[in-house]
């Protein structure tokens, strides 16, 4: 391989074959991917979850992860919050001409590690190269397929009055970690992105309860936007308690300094679950045993009044309406 | 909607909701997509084909199609050549800030038309917006899922000596049509891209024969590269006859003028099939009845000698080795 990616690596010809063999198959290879037909082929039966996300994060390397890890975790989490067991991922790269081959290798290694941790396989892919200046370094799309147990119905439409809202941990870590790297902001202690695959956390939760009505991962738009989506889709209101929402000291400080609200900052390793009240404590206890759920907390309750709204009791004791994100304070955060 | 795409359309917040509702759901909506959970959910059973392609074609509008039509057809064709019935597609957009909203609407309308023609549904998606100058207008990734009949085994590894090679029509139309638009080359008659969904052509072929061993769509790298892949994967040689390969007069003239070989030019609505000799004529006749197979021809035979090689009998009566594409004469052709 050359030390920089060339246009010809996206030609479909001999250099495309080289990049596929040397940088992709050699690291990600498995019995399905290695066939290299025009589609991957596997057997699956039942309720299938299917999702896609493109990742354009800038910078591509950030504390706690990189665009490779993010691309795998993002899609795994979108499957997991549907109650699906993620099985197979596609990986499609758009690379800017001149991109360092060693950076590509680092990213593909991160893809492999995240996929291995989650127990998913990369089974199909695509590589395009565009002329210098026509993309910013590398963009990665993953699509994913998972299987949902037949009896399960987890959806943003299923939140019901009386249900409890559980958040799996601290908010804002990903957004502030990426921003700190991008803007060169230093903290006393290094803040890392929470980027992580949540499928095993979800599996743990489902072990102790079948009464999980809704899950979602609060990525772009943050916790506030995710809760608003659920409130809107389910036609309910959500009352949350600011005091209960875990926020790291560094994230709170950075938000204070920069004028951001952690409720709107992206997370990449967190989920919100709306569960029947009777099982809430048992689910919470189980989540706390998982490394991605140590700081989980019950942060609120589903209510009937003010359908479509999210209302927060602030630390000062007042109540305020928490809307969806408006505008775009942090472009290219994922 | 504003008349240009803003960074906030990719924020995950209110403007993301607007673009999803106004530009995507309103055109592409169906009972699966409209749920808007983190994954699409549907039931499927058996052998599943799964594929992905990102599209970065430049220019995004070209004679015979645009990046929207191309994105749908490309993935449908990758499923179809596995013998799969394409069912569900994802659609992930990376848009440059400032992109005209009306161009997006035109592209999404093309997505809808191509999906409708093929009978597939867009069931999940993603929209990212990057700052001006960080991408070139719009890139589109589609991933797709199809179902393969249990008894079917179509693969690039299955070509056998004695099999016949069928090409579904003229080569080079897509590549030269895009190039002519890009470079402002005028022809006497307008040459159009062959961009088309081939699933119904494949269904027609499978109606008359179960003896289709291998199919592939010769996109990037052209017919020559595709045949080399098959020769390599199956450990056979392929002997083709130049005289039998259909090439439009305009494509031949443009290639002559520009120094290209049509064997290496991308197609987006063509397939190569390797079939048992006894069924070759019946399959060919059936293909000719389909609008995307009018110019189909038997162009060669699978042989044992010189495994891994493609050998062409030229119009002059000599033989030459036809290798894979080397280098990249036409970047961003799809």
């Amino acid at each position: 391989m050359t030390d920089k990616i060339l246009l010809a690596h996206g030609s479909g010809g001999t250099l495309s074959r080289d990049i596929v063999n040397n940088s992709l198959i050699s690291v990600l290879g498995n019995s399905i991917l290695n066939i290299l037909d025009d589609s991957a082929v596997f057997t699956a039966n039942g309720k299938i979850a299917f999702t896609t996300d493109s990742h354009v994060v800038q910078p591509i390397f950030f504390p706690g992860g990189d665009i490779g890890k993010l691309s795998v975790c993002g899609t795994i989490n979108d499957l997991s919050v549907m109650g699906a067991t993620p099985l197979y991922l596609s990986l499609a790269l758009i690379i800017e001409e001149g991109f360092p081959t060693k950076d590509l290798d680092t990213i593909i290694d991160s893809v492999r590690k995240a996929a291995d941790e989650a127990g998913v396989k990369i089974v199909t892919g695509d590589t395009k190269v565009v002329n210098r200046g026509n993309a910013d370094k590398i963009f990665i799309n993953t699509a994913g397929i998972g299987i949902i147990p037949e009896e399960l119905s987890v959806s943003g439409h299923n939140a019901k009055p009386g249900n409890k809202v559980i958040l799996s941990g601290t908010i804002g870590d990903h957004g502030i970690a990426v921003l700190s790297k991008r803007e060169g902001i230093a903290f006393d202690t290094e803040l890392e992105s929470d980027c992580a695959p949540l499928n095993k956390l979800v599996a743990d939760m489902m072990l102790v309860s079948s009464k999980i009505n809704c899950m979602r991962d609060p990525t772009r738009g943050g916790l506030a936007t995710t809760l608003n989506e659920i409130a809107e889709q389910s036609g309910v209101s959500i009352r949350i308690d600011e005091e209960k929402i875990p926020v790291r000291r560094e994230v709170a400080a950075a938000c204070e300094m920069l004028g951001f609200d952690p409720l709107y900052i992206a997370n990449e390793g967190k989920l919100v679950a709306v569960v029947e009240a009777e099982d809430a404590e048992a689910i919470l206890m189980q989540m706390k045993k998982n490394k991605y759920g140590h700081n989980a907390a019950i942060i609120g309750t589903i209510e009937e009044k003010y359908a479509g709204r999210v209302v927060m009791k602030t630390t000062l004791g007042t109540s305020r309406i928490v809307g969806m994100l408006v505008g775009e304070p942090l472009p290219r955060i994922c």
Side-chain angles (χ1 to χ4, degrees), chain A residues 22-216:
Chain A
N22 300 336
S23 294
L24 298 168
I25 299 285
S26 63
V27 184
L28 304 174
N30 57 66
S31 61
I32 302 174
L33 179 63
N34 296 356
I35 301 290
L36 290 182
D37 273 327
D38 282 342
S39 303
V41 179
F42 48 81
T43 301
N45 290 299
K47 258 163 73 176
I48 291 184
F50 176 38
T51 193
T52 188
D53 257 325
S54 292
H55 294 84
V56 297
V57 66
Q58 187 269 321
I60 56 176
F61 297 103
F62 50 81
D66 61 31
I67 192 171
K69 181 181 183 185
L70 187 65
S71 298
V72 171
C73 294
T75 289
I76 286 173
N77 294 348
D78 279 343
L79 295 170
S80 302
V81 294
M82 299 300 293
T85 302
L87 296 176
Y88 303 116
L89 260 54
S90 64
L91 182 76
L93 312 173
I94 297 174
I95 308 175
E96 183 185 12
E97 178 189 13
F99 187 68
T101 307
K102 70 170 174 36
D103 285 353
L104 178 65
D105 291 341
T106 305
I107 289 165
I108 298 302
D109 199 51
S110 296
V111 165
R112 182 189 59 75
K113 282 183 190 142
D116 282 354
E117 180 185 343
V120 304
K121 290 188 167 76
I122 310 294
V123 295
T124 187
D126 178 52
T127 305
K128 294 288 191 305
V129 182
V130 298
N131 313 64
R132 203 182 286 263
N134 283 337
D136 187 15
K137 299 184 180 70
I138 186 168
F139 301 146
I140 303 184
N141 177 282
T142 51
I145 288 176
I147 302 289
I148 303 177
E150 204 55 56
E151 67 285 1
L152 206 69
S153 176
V154 178
S155 168
H157 299 257
N158 292 353
K160 290 176 196 67
N163 287 178
K164 291 294 174 188
V165 180
I166 306 178
L167 172 65
S168 67
T170 54
I171 58 169
D173 301 4
H174 175 74
I176 298 300
V178 170
L179 186 72
S180 70
K181 175 78 178 180
R182 191 190 296 173
E183 307 293 341
I185 301 167
F187 298 109
D188 293 348
T189 53
E190 186 168 67
L191 176 71
E192 294 203 333
S193 163
D194 56 351
C195 181
L198 297 178
N199 54 321
K200 289 177 183 173
L201 176 63
V202 169
D204 284 355
M205 294 164 67
M206 296 201 302
L207 268 184
V208 295
S209 174
S210 60
K211 293 178 175 165
I212 301 167
N213 292 332
C214 163
M215 285 187 282
R216 199 154 279 184

Side-chain angles (χ1 to χ4, degrees), chain A residues 165 227 230-231 236-240 301-303 309-311:
Chain A
V165 180
L227 292 176
I230 295 171
V236 297
S237 70
I238 302 181
R239 178 170 294 271
I240 54 173
T301 307
I302 305 297
E303 299 191 347
R309 300 275 189 179
V310 177
V311 182

